[in-house]
Short mmCIF file of all heavy atoms in Angstrom, two decimals:
data_model
loop_
_atom_site.label_atom_id
_atom_site.label_comp_id
_atom_site.label_asym_id
_atom_site.label_seq_id
_atom_site.Cartn_x
_atom_site.Cartn_y
_atom_site.Cartn_z
N PRO A 738 -10.56 20.09 -17.68
CA PRO A 738 -10.60 19.77 -16.25
C PRO A 738 -11.58 18.65 -15.90
O PRO A 738 -12.66 18.56 -16.47
CB PRO A 738 -11.01 21.08 -15.59
CG PRO A 738 -11.61 21.91 -16.67
CD PRO A 738 -11.04 21.44 -17.97
N ILE A 739 -11.15 17.83 -14.97
CA ILE A 739 -12.02 16.78 -14.42
C ILE A 739 -13.00 17.41 -13.44
O ILE A 739 -14.17 17.05 -13.39
CB ILE A 739 -11.17 15.69 -13.74
CG1 ILE A 739 -10.23 15.03 -14.76
CG2 ILE A 739 -12.05 14.66 -13.05
CD1 ILE A 739 -9.14 14.16 -14.15
N SER A 740 -12.51 18.36 -12.66
CA SER A 740 -13.34 19.03 -11.66
C SER A 740 -12.82 20.44 -11.42
O SER A 740 -11.61 20.69 -11.55
CB SER A 740 -13.33 18.25 -10.35
OG SER A 740 -13.99 18.95 -9.33
N ASP A 741 -13.70 21.32 -11.02
CA ASP A 741 -13.30 22.67 -10.63
C ASP A 741 -13.09 22.77 -9.13
O ASP A 741 -12.82 23.84 -8.61
CB ASP A 741 -14.36 23.70 -11.07
CG ASP A 741 -14.41 23.83 -12.59
OD1 ASP A 741 -13.36 23.66 -13.23
OD2 ASP A 741 -15.50 24.11 -13.12
N GLU A 742 -13.21 21.66 -8.45
CA GLU A 742 -13.09 21.62 -6.99
C GLU A 742 -11.68 21.20 -6.57
O GLU A 742 -10.98 20.47 -7.29
CB GLU A 742 -14.11 20.65 -6.40
CG GLU A 742 -15.55 20.95 -6.78
CD GLU A 742 -16.06 22.24 -6.18
OE1 GLU A 742 -15.67 22.56 -5.04
OE2 GLU A 742 -16.85 22.92 -6.85
N LEU A 743 -11.30 21.60 -5.39
CA LEU A 743 -9.97 21.30 -4.84
C LEU A 743 -9.79 19.82 -4.50
O LEU A 743 -8.66 19.32 -4.50
CB LEU A 743 -9.75 22.16 -3.58
CG LEU A 743 -8.32 22.41 -3.14
CD1 LEU A 743 -7.48 23.00 -4.25
CD2 LEU A 743 -8.31 23.32 -1.92
N TRP A 744 -10.88 19.11 -4.25
CA TRP A 744 -10.80 17.70 -3.85
C TRP A 744 -10.03 16.85 -4.86
O TRP A 744 -9.39 15.88 -4.49
CB TRP A 744 -12.19 17.10 -3.62
CG TRP A 744 -13.02 16.98 -4.87
CD1 TRP A 744 -13.93 17.87 -5.32
CD2 TRP A 744 -12.99 15.92 -5.82
NE1 TRP A 744 -14.49 17.44 -6.50
CE2 TRP A 744 -13.92 16.23 -6.84
CE3 TRP A 744 -12.28 14.73 -5.93
CZ2 TRP A 744 -14.15 15.42 -7.93
CZ3 TRP A 744 -12.50 13.91 -7.03
CH2 TRP A 744 -13.43 14.25 -8.01
N ILE A 745 -10.09 17.21 -6.15
CA ILE A 745 -9.44 16.40 -7.19
C ILE A 745 -7.93 16.34 -6.97
O ILE A 745 -7.31 15.29 -7.14
CB ILE A 745 -9.80 16.91 -8.61
CG1 ILE A 745 -9.42 15.88 -9.66
CG2 ILE A 745 -9.13 18.23 -8.93
CD1 ILE A 745 -10.35 14.73 -9.76
N TYR A 746 -7.33 17.43 -6.53
CA TYR A 746 -5.89 17.48 -6.30
C TYR A 746 -5.52 16.63 -5.08
O TYR A 746 -4.54 15.87 -5.13
CB TYR A 746 -5.43 18.92 -6.11
CG TYR A 746 -5.74 19.80 -7.29
CD1 TYR A 746 -6.84 20.66 -7.26
CD2 TYR A 746 -4.97 19.75 -8.45
CE1 TYR A 746 -7.15 21.47 -8.35
CE2 TYR A 746 -5.27 20.54 -9.54
CZ TYR A 746 -6.37 21.39 -9.48
OH TYR A 746 -6.66 22.17 -10.58
N TYR A 747 -6.29 16.75 -4.02
CA TYR A 747 -6.04 15.95 -2.83
C TYR A 747 -6.23 14.46 -3.11
O TYR A 747 -5.46 13.62 -2.65
CB TYR A 747 -6.93 16.40 -1.66
CG TYR A 747 -6.49 17.70 -1.06
CD1 TYR A 747 -7.15 18.88 -1.35
CD2 TYR A 747 -5.38 17.75 -0.21
CE1 TYR A 747 -6.73 20.09 -0.81
CE2 TYR A 747 -4.96 18.96 0.34
CZ TYR A 747 -5.63 20.12 0.03
OH TYR A 747 -5.21 21.31 0.56
N THR A 748 -7.26 14.14 -3.87
CA THR A 748 -7.50 12.74 -4.24
C THR A 748 -6.33 12.21 -5.05
O THR A 748 -5.88 11.08 -4.84
CB THR A 748 -8.82 12.61 -5.04
OG1 THR A 748 -9.89 13.13 -4.25
CG2 THR A 748 -9.10 11.17 -5.40
N GLY A 749 -5.82 13.01 -5.96
CA GLY A 749 -4.66 12.61 -6.77
C GLY A 749 -3.45 12.31 -5.91
O GLY A 749 -2.82 11.26 -6.04
N VAL A 750 -3.11 13.23 -5.00
CA VAL A 750 -1.95 13.02 -4.12
C VAL A 750 -2.16 11.80 -3.24
O VAL A 750 -1.25 10.99 -3.05
CB VAL A 750 -1.66 14.28 -3.27
CG1 VAL A 750 -0.64 14.01 -2.19
CG2 VAL A 750 -1.18 15.42 -4.16
N LEU A 751 -3.38 11.63 -2.72
CA LEU A 751 -3.69 10.48 -1.88
C LEU A 751 -3.52 9.17 -2.65
O LEU A 751 -2.93 8.20 -2.13
CB LEU A 751 -5.12 10.60 -1.33
CG LEU A 751 -5.54 9.54 -0.33
CD1 LEU A 751 -4.68 9.60 0.94
CD2 LEU A 751 -7.02 9.72 0.02
N CYS A 752 -3.99 9.13 -3.89
CA CYS A 752 -3.83 7.92 -4.71
C CYS A 752 -2.35 7.62 -4.97
O CYS A 752 -1.93 6.45 -4.94
CB CYS A 752 -4.56 8.07 -6.05
SG CYS A 752 -6.34 7.93 -5.94
N VAL A 753 -1.56 8.65 -5.22
CA VAL A 753 -0.12 8.44 -5.45
C VAL A 753 0.50 7.82 -4.20
O VAL A 753 1.21 6.81 -4.29
CB VAL A 753 0.58 9.77 -5.82
CG1 VAL A 753 2.10 9.59 -5.80
CG2 VAL A 753 0.13 10.26 -7.18
N TRP A 754 0.23 8.39 -3.02
CA TRP A 754 0.82 7.87 -1.79
C TRP A 754 0.34 6.46 -1.46
O TRP A 754 1.14 5.59 -1.08
CB TRP A 754 0.58 8.82 -0.61
CG TRP A 754 1.57 9.94 -0.61
CD1 TRP A 754 1.34 11.24 -0.91
CD2 TRP A 754 2.97 9.83 -0.34
NE1 TRP A 754 2.51 11.97 -0.82
CE2 TRP A 754 3.53 11.12 -0.47
CE3 TRP A 754 3.82 8.78 0.00
CZ2 TRP A 754 4.89 11.38 -0.28
CZ3 TRP A 754 5.17 9.05 0.20
CH2 TRP A 754 5.69 10.33 0.06
N ILE A 755 -0.95 6.21 -1.61
CA ILE A 755 -1.48 4.86 -1.34
C ILE A 755 -0.85 3.87 -2.30
O ILE A 755 -0.45 2.77 -1.90
CB ILE A 755 -3.02 4.85 -1.44
CG1 ILE A 755 -3.62 5.62 -0.27
CG2 ILE A 755 -3.55 3.41 -1.46
CD1 ILE A 755 -5.12 5.86 -0.40
N GLY A 756 -0.73 4.25 -3.58
CA GLY A 756 -0.10 3.36 -4.56
C GLY A 756 1.34 3.03 -4.21
O GLY A 756 1.75 1.87 -4.26
N ILE A 757 2.11 4.04 -3.84
CA ILE A 757 3.53 3.83 -3.48
C ILE A 757 3.63 2.92 -2.25
O ILE A 757 4.41 1.96 -2.23
CB ILE A 757 4.23 5.17 -3.20
CG1 ILE A 757 4.38 5.98 -4.49
CG2 ILE A 757 5.61 4.95 -2.56
CD1 ILE A 757 4.80 7.43 -4.26
N ILE A 758 2.86 3.22 -1.22
CA ILE A 758 2.95 2.48 0.04
C ILE A 758 2.48 1.03 -0.13
O ILE A 758 3.16 0.10 0.31
CB ILE A 758 2.17 3.20 1.15
CG1 ILE A 758 2.89 4.51 1.50
CG2 ILE A 758 2.00 2.32 2.39
CD1 ILE A 758 2.05 5.48 2.33
N LEU A 759 1.34 0.84 -0.79
CA LEU A 759 0.84 -0.53 -0.95
C LEU A 759 1.71 -1.35 -1.90
O LEU A 759 1.89 -2.54 -1.70
CB LEU A 759 -0.62 -0.52 -1.38
CG LEU A 759 -1.60 -0.05 -0.30
CD1 LEU A 759 -3.03 -0.05 -0.82
CD2 LEU A 759 -1.49 -0.87 0.97
N ARG A 760 2.28 -0.72 -2.91
CA ARG A 760 3.21 -1.44 -3.79
C ARG A 760 4.43 -1.90 -2.98
O ARG A 760 4.90 -3.02 -3.12
CB ARG A 760 3.63 -0.55 -4.96
CG ARG A 760 4.58 -1.24 -5.94
CD ARG A 760 4.62 -0.49 -7.24
NE ARG A 760 5.83 -0.67 -8.01
CZ ARG A 760 6.12 -1.72 -8.75
NH1 ARG A 760 5.29 -2.74 -8.82
NH2 ARG A 760 7.25 -1.78 -9.42
N TYR A 761 4.93 -1.03 -2.13
CA TYR A 761 6.05 -1.41 -1.26
C TYR A 761 5.68 -2.59 -0.37
O TYR A 761 6.45 -3.55 -0.23
CB TYR A 761 6.48 -0.20 -0.41
CG TYR A 761 7.53 -0.54 0.61
CD1 TYR A 761 8.86 -0.70 0.24
CD2 TYR A 761 7.19 -0.73 1.95
CE1 TYR A 761 9.83 -1.03 1.17
CE2 TYR A 761 8.15 -1.06 2.89
CZ TYR A 761 9.47 -1.22 2.49
OH TYR A 761 10.42 -1.56 3.41
N ILE A 762 4.49 -2.55 0.23
CA ILE A 762 4.03 -3.64 1.09
C ILE A 762 3.94 -4.95 0.30
O ILE A 762 4.35 -6.01 0.79
CB ILE A 762 2.68 -3.28 1.77
CG1 ILE A 762 2.92 -2.18 2.81
CG2 ILE A 762 2.03 -4.51 2.39
CD1 ILE A 762 1.65 -1.54 3.34
N ILE A 763 3.41 -4.88 -0.90
CA ILE A 763 3.29 -6.07 -1.76
C ILE A 763 4.67 -6.63 -2.07
O ILE A 763 4.91 -7.84 -1.98
CB ILE A 763 2.54 -5.73 -3.07
CG1 ILE A 763 1.08 -5.45 -2.80
CG2 ILE A 763 2.71 -6.83 -4.11
CD1 ILE A 763 0.30 -6.58 -2.20
N ILE A 764 5.58 -5.77 -2.45
CA ILE A 764 6.94 -6.22 -2.79
C ILE A 764 7.60 -6.87 -1.58
O ILE A 764 8.22 -7.93 -1.68
CB ILE A 764 7.76 -5.06 -3.36
CG1 ILE A 764 7.23 -4.70 -4.76
CG2 ILE A 764 9.26 -5.39 -3.40
CD1 ILE A 764 7.78 -3.41 -5.33
N ARG A 765 7.45 -6.26 -0.40
CA ARG A 765 8.00 -6.84 0.83
C ARG A 765 7.36 -8.18 1.14
O ARG A 765 8.03 -9.10 1.61
CB ARG A 765 7.81 -5.88 2.00
CG ARG A 765 8.57 -4.59 1.90
CD ARG A 765 9.97 -4.69 2.31
NE ARG A 765 10.03 -5.13 3.71
CZ ARG A 765 11.11 -5.52 4.31
NH1 ARG A 765 12.25 -5.50 3.67
NH2 ARG A 765 11.09 -5.91 5.55
N SER A 766 6.05 -8.30 0.89
CA SER A 766 5.36 -9.55 1.22
C SER A 766 5.84 -10.70 0.33
O SER A 766 5.83 -11.84 0.75
CB SER A 766 3.84 -9.38 1.11
OG SER A 766 3.41 -9.41 -0.23
N LEU A 767 6.26 -10.40 -0.88
CA LEU A 767 6.79 -11.44 -1.75
C LEU A 767 8.22 -11.81 -1.39
O LEU A 767 8.69 -12.89 -1.74
CB LEU A 767 6.74 -11.00 -3.22
CG LEU A 767 5.45 -11.23 -3.94
CD1 LEU A 767 5.54 -10.71 -5.37
CD2 LEU A 767 5.02 -12.68 -3.94
N GLY A 768 8.90 -10.91 -0.72
CA GLY A 768 10.27 -11.19 -0.28
C GLY A 768 11.18 -11.53 -1.44
O GLY A 768 11.19 -10.85 -2.46
#
């Protein structure tokens, strides 16, 4: 385990969503 705290799971989900959304924005910006 990286951590015994719940924050690690929320951080993971948040990183996944930020990655998906910002990748989409980047792809759109390149047109």
Side-chain angles (χ1 to χ4, degrees):
I739 298 168
S740 173
D741 292 329
E742 304 293 325
L743 202 55
W744 67 265
I745 194 77
Y746 301 101
Y747 286 102
T748 303
V750 170
L751 186 62
C752 285
V753 170
W754 278 108
I755 290 171
I757 291 168
I758 291 166
L759 290 179
R760 181 163 155 78
Y761 174 77
I762 290 168
I763 290 299
I764 289 169
R765 294 279 301 169
S766 78
L767 275 179

